[in-house]
Amino acid sequence: MMGRGGPGRAGQGGPGRGRANGKARRRGDFPLPQPSGAGRAGRGRRQRQQQQQQQQRQRFPVARGGSGRARSPQPPSPARMSGSGPEATRPGDGAEVRLQEAEQDWAAAKAFYDNLPSKRPRPPKPQHAITVAVSSRALFDLVEERRIYEEHGLEKYVEYQQDNENVTLKPGPAFYFVKALEHVNARLLELYPDDEERFDIVLMTNNHAQVGVRLINSINHYGLTIERFCMTGGKSPIGYLTAYLTNLYLSADSEKVQEAIEAGIASATMFAANKDVAYSDTQLRVAFDGDAVLFSDESEQIVKEQGLDRFFEHEQLNENKPLAQGPLKGFLEDLGKLQKKFYAKNERLNCPIRTFLVTARSAASSGARVLKTLRSWGLEVDEALFLAGAPKGPILVKIRPHIFFDDQMFHIEGAQKLGTIAAHVPYGIAQKYHKST
């Protein structure tokens, strides 16, 4: 069993739709909360920036080698510059040609690095991976370092980190979740040595590069396999989430998480447990709330605005109408795809992934619609717990998930008190009643 340390795709894509079509399709698939006027303006700027970045990537595609380091883009050939090349005569095939070139470059790089002896598993191609981006404050306990930054400024913070770069950081709230992801990867590599559909952990932080040595030393100390870093030197890393084809983003910064949610990326703010508990080191356990997490907040809107009786009536009338998807539906889908890989190898009883639905709904009055919605998506959870309004904390103590996703802060706080690491999903109508802190 793992012990606790110190404190601390979104979207649609039905089962069977291929990743080669581009994981970017996951962005923006779930309905977003309506932003304020300032939010809409900021979102417009982000969309224009993303369009500009997309145009730049199309002009100068960057291929990645097996080492995870970016390779320099090649300048346009004279034929392309003069308009006499194949793209000039076949303008509609430009994207396909670039994709083929990128695939060829990946294959060449993989062939080269496969011949180099190494016991470390190499990162999968981003278009095949389930990419989980984790901030440094989610992965490690940086409470003291954060205090130095806030009280003494950036220069003292960087100096402190450099002076202590050989002092190992303590685990943060996402640490044991990341360890469990890597255990799943190890099992997948045993069963499918050549398959690249597995988790890829990216350290996504606005830390400065000078802090990178301490982060690398701590990652190596714990034996984590995190090869891809994105250190933005004080700038928001949100714009890079799309470039990394991120399926899930975890951070200790609620503002960045809100920004990512508004960009259509599955995201959550991490909160450490207030008690030390032991976590399974042989099975990844993920617990999800239902409404405004796996599903949209349409039913929760009725509860908040019209009361429970109207909610029960609405759910029974719409029992056979699937709920719209919420921000974490895509991640449950990803977990389900990996589970099926183990089932195909007759490992159902020994599967290293287990999923839980922990919902305040009551089973008799509103549970059928939830289960039928999952069935319509071709998804399933291993355990479904309908609590009919009872506190979730005591149930989570029995489950001991590596992470519990919920949209309401009072459930997050209740889980924390009893020793569960919780992740707040700032989505839906509940955010109007309790602001994320």
Side-chain angles (χ1 to χ4, degrees):
M1 304 289 285
M2 286 186 181
R4 272 271 308 131
R9 234 149 359 185
Q12 179 89 340
R17 291 173 64 182
R19 292 178 180 274
N21 291 335
K23 290 199 317 184
R25 64 179 169 80
R26 291 186 172 274
R27 297 181 59 254
D29 283 345
F30 57 85
L32 300 176
Q34 294 300 315
S36 64
R40 286 193 294 269
R43 197 151 130 209
R45 286 194 298 272
R46 286 193 295 276
Q47 288 173 344
R48 288 193 294 273
Q49 290 170 356
Q50 290 168 359
Q51 289 171 354
Q52 291 169 355
Q53 291 167 358
Q54 179 66 22
Q55 291 169 356
Q56 186 175 6
R57 284 196 295 271
Q58 289 175 347
R59 290 176 59 202
F60 303 107
V62 179
R64 292 187 177 274
S67 65
R69 293 177 294 185
R71 300 180 60 184
S72 300
Q74 298 297 318
S77 66
R80 292 182 182 176
M81 293 175 67
S82 66
S84 61
E87 287 192 8
T89 57
R90 301 174 63 190
D93 291 343
E96 184 177 349
V97 169
R98 284 189 291 272
L99 180 61
Q100 291 174 350
E101 290 173 349
E103 288 290 337
Q104 291 169 359
D105 199 38
W106 264 104
K110 186 176 186 300
F112 173 78
Y113 284 104
D114 282 350
N115 291 325
L116 299 176
S118 174
K119 294 181 180 179
R120 294 178 68 89
R122 296 179 176 86
K125 294 180 185 179
Q127 62 265 40
H128 297 155
I130 299 167
T131 301
V132 178
V134 184
S135 76
S136 56
R137 286 201 294 141
L139 184 61
F140 295 117
D141 177 2
L142 289 167
V143 173
E144 175 62 18
E145 288 76 4
R146 182 71 178 179
R147 183 190 65 79
I148 292 171
Y149 171 76
E150 292 176 348
E151 294 181 2
H152 302 286
L154 176 61
E155 298 306 319
K156 286 292 184 182
Y157 166 80
V158 172
E159 179 183 344
Y160 177 86
Q161 292 283 41
Q162 290 178 328
D163 290 343
N164 290 273
E165 63 185 23
N166 293 317
V167 178
T168 302
L169 292 164
K170 293 180 181 178
F175 180 87
Y176 293 101
F177 174 66
V178 168
K179 289 283 286 185
L181 296 181
E182 295 197 345
H183 173 72
V184 174
N185 279 354
R187 289 284 308 277
L188 284 169
L189 285 169
E190 290 174 3
L191 298 175
Y192 301 92
D194 300 321
D195 192 346
E196 293 191 292
E197 191 172 35
R198 59 182 187 273
F199 296 110
D200 186 19
I201 315 300
V202 175
L203 188 69
M204 185 75 63
T205 174
N206 63 350
N207 256 307
H208 287 252
Q210 295 92 324
V211 182
V213 173
R214 190 179 189 194
L215 294 172
I216 291 170
N217 287 343
S218 297
I219 285 169
N220 288 335
H221 170 83
Y222 292 112
L224 300 177
T225 304
I226 302 178
E227 302 290 357
R228 303 193 208 276
F229 272 39
C230 180
M231 308 184 70
T232 64
K235 301 295 183 182
S236 173
I238 300 303
Y240 290 98
L241 293 173
T242 302
Y244 278 81
L245 303 181
T246 302
N247 297 80
L248 177 67
Y249 172 55
L250 301 175
S251 174
D253 189 325
S254 61
E255 291 184 2
K256 291 187 178 67
V257 168
Q258 183 68 62
E259 188 179 350
I261 283 282
E262 290 178 2
I265 298 168
S267 310
T269 308
M270 297 296 301
F271 291 88
N274 294 341
K275 294 181 179 180
D276 288 348
V277 300
Y279 300 96
S280 173
D281 58 1
T282 60
Q283 186 177 66
L284 168 66
R285 297 186 173 196
V286 183
F288 299 89
D289 178 34
D291 296 294
V293 175
L294 290 179
F295 316 113
S296 75
D297 69 335
E298 66 168 84
S299 297
E300 197 158 311
Q301 289 182 36
I302 295 174
V303 173
K304 299 292 187 187
E305 297 173 352
Q306 302 179 44
L308 271 177
D309 289 340
R310 179 71 185 94
F311 164 74
F312 292 143
E313 179 184 346
H314 176 269
E315 292 305 285
Q316 290 174 349
L317 287 173
N318 292 276
E319 179 180 315
N320 295 314
K321 179 184 177 183
L323 288 154
Q325 68 175 36
L328 268 293
K329 181 259 187 179
F331 188 61
L332 176 62
E333 180 183 47
D334 294 328
L335 296 176
K337 287 180 180 178
L338 295 186
Q339 284 180 310
K340 289 176 182 177
K341 288 179 176 290
F342 290 100
Y343 301 165
K345 296 289 186 178
N346 203 26
E347 292 282 321
R348 180 180 284 270
L349 297 180
N350 196 31
C351 182
I353 301 172
R354 194 163 186 84
T355 56
F356 304 81
L357 173 67
V358 182
T359 175
R361 284 176 177 248
S362 57
S365 304
S366 58
R369 190 181 185 193
V370 163
L371 297 177
K372 288 183 177 181
T373 295
L374 290 173
R375 185 191 304 163
S376 74
W377 290 347
L379 299 180
E380 59 185 60
V381 290
D382 294 297
E383 299 186 30
L385 298 105
F386 295 89
L387 303 185
K392 296 182 180 181
I395 295 297
L396 293 168
V397 168
K398 298 297 182 182
I399 295 173
R400 292 189 178 180
H402 293 93
I403 193 168
F404 163 60
F405 295 100
D406 202 290
D407 67 306
Q408 302 197 55
M409 279 303 300
F410 72 88
H411 287 312
I412 298 293
E413 291 160 359
Q416 278 184 282
K417 290 176 184 177
L418 295 180
T420 296
I421 291 177
H424 178 240
V425 182
Y427 174 80
I429 193 171
Q431 310 319 306
K432 297 180 181 179
Y433 292 83
H434 194 133
K435 197 77 173 171
S436 174
T437 57

